[in-house]
Amino acid sequence: MPHIITTVNVNGIRAAAKKGMLEWIEATEADVICLQETRADDKQLASTLAAALEAGWHLASAQPSAKGRNGVAILSRRPADAVRIGHGDEEFAEAGRYIEADFDDLTVASLYLPSGEVETDRQAEKERFLGSFGSYLAATAAAAQRADRHVVVCGDWNIAHTELDLKNHKGNKKNSGFLPNEREWMGSVFGEFGWVDVMRTLHPDLDGPYTWWSYRGKAFDNDSGWRIDYQVSTPALAERAKQAVVERAASYDLRWSDHAPVTVQYR
């Protein structure tokens, strides 16, 4: 079973590759890397990651039907036993928002949940996704328990669960990503749906650690960020997590995405 898993929203993989992402992949100790918002079709993705693939990485991807939007992928040091795209909702089947891959008794998923925007069609789309994906998560956790399997859903969940998860929580209570119903849904994920927030379990009282900072203003320099990138696992796997870190860039100019990788080491 893979022991080190990383997830990162690359904010456009071709742009990220030009800013240092490939060098980061070359240096990482991760066994599996989940990527979101690749904004590339399968051919473009494989071309951009050619150096990593030549070095022995294996790629599974879900390209987006909308050109230049969404897109998720999983890089792994060994081929996956099986790969599945989508979570069973026809509306999002070709959206490039969810992919999962099996490695022995572990399933690793890469998720790019819709970001939404209050009082727009984008928020309505997000609400529909939360509805069907919540049902999928509940069923998946139950099935994993019956089959004695582990599952971890890595990615950009586009929701900060609690006030610990964003710096300016007072100013964002009416904004998508921190709406009461979204936070309540996340609470259900970590409650009735049967999942565990791995980072928060290891760091219960820590502000953040934030994973996304706006490119505008001094957000990164002031660490005025949001924790919206999670590794969400089934309980038995969460118990095996021994270290979780956000690989925050040392300085603004060294960033290759507006998100930072979230890396968890499992026993």
Side-chain angles (χ1 to χ4, degrees):
M1 188 181 92
H3 292 293
I4 302 178
I5 300 173
T6 294
T7 182
V8 61
N9 178 318
V10 297
N11 192 25
I13 198 152
R14 286 165 289 180
K18 293 174 183 174
K19 298 176 185 176
M21 183 197 69
L22 295 175
E23 289 79 3
W24 172 81
I25 292 175
E26 189 176 358
T28 187
E29 295 182 354
D31 300 298
V32 177
I33 304 172
C34 296
L35 306 172
Q36 301 88 42
E37 207 174 354
T38 61
R39 299 186 194 165
D41 61 32
D42 288 344
K43 186 177 179 181
Q44 292 167 330
L45 187 63
S47 175
T48 303
L49 292 171
L53 300 179
E54 287 167 11
W57 287 91
H58 299 269
L59 176 65
S61 58
Q63 66 183 5
S65 55
K67 188 175 180 180
R69 293 185 58 204
N70 309 340
V72 290
I74 297 174
L75 278 171
S76 55
R77 294 194 186 270
R78 50 160 274 200
D81 302 326
V83 174
R84 295 170 294 278
I85 293 172
H87 66 277
D89 185 330
E90 279 301 310
E91 179 183 357
F92 301 103
E94 298 179 0
R97 289 195 177 276
Y98 187 78
I99 185 172
E100 55 187 34
D102 295 339
F103 303 93
D104 300 325
D105 62 347
L106 171 69
T107 297
V108 180
S110 184
L111 165 72
Y112 179 45
L113 198 143
S115 57
E117 186 179 347
V118 172
E119 295 180 354
T120 70
D121 291 342
R122 293 179 63 205
Q123 191 65 29
E125 176 192 42
K126 185 175 187 177
E127 299 290 345
R128 293 193 301 274
F129 191 98
L130 295 182
S132 62
F133 192 59
S135 299
Y136 181 79
L137 286 173
T140 298
Q145 185 174 18
R146 289 194 301 269
D148 199 23
R149 290 186 58 82
H150 304 292
V151 186
V152 59
V153 181
C154 303
D156 181 355
W157 290 66
N158 265 313
I159 299 170
H161 181 213
T162 74
E163 292 182 355
L164 285 176
D165 297 318
L166 74 164
K167 187 73 165 279
N168 182 20
H169 53 83
K170 291 179 181 176
N172 279 290
K173 292 184 176 178
K174 295 182 179 179
N175 291 331
S176 187
F178 200 58
L179 296 172
N181 65 304
E182 294 174 339
R183 296 172 61 196
E184 185 178 337
W185 183 85
M186 286 299 286
S188 296
V189 172
F190 305 134
E192 64 184 281
F193 298 167
W195 296 78
V196 178
D197 180 345
V198 176
M199 176 69 79
R200 186 54 72 209
T201 299
L202 291 173
H203 302 284
D205 304 313
L206 188 67
D207 286 341
Y210 307 128
T211 64
W212 175 82
W213 305 262
S214 172
Y215 274 132
R216 293 178 299 201
K218 298 272 189 181
F220 183 79
D221 294 337
N222 296 334
D223 200 24
S224 182
W226 294 57
R227 188 176 78 96
I228 52 177
D229 302 271
Y230 299 77
Q231 293 201 25
V232 173
S233 81
T234 44
L237 181 62
E239 290 176 5
R240 296 169 63 166
K242 61 179 183 178
Q243 184 183 44
V245 296
V246 174
E247 297 184 39
R248 190 180 190 274
S251 61
Y252 183 96
D253 59 318
L254 294 176
R255 304 171 75 191
W256 43 266
S257 170
D258 51 354
H259 294 251
V262 177
T263 301
V264 178
Q265 187 172 355
Y266 297 91
R267 294 183 179 86

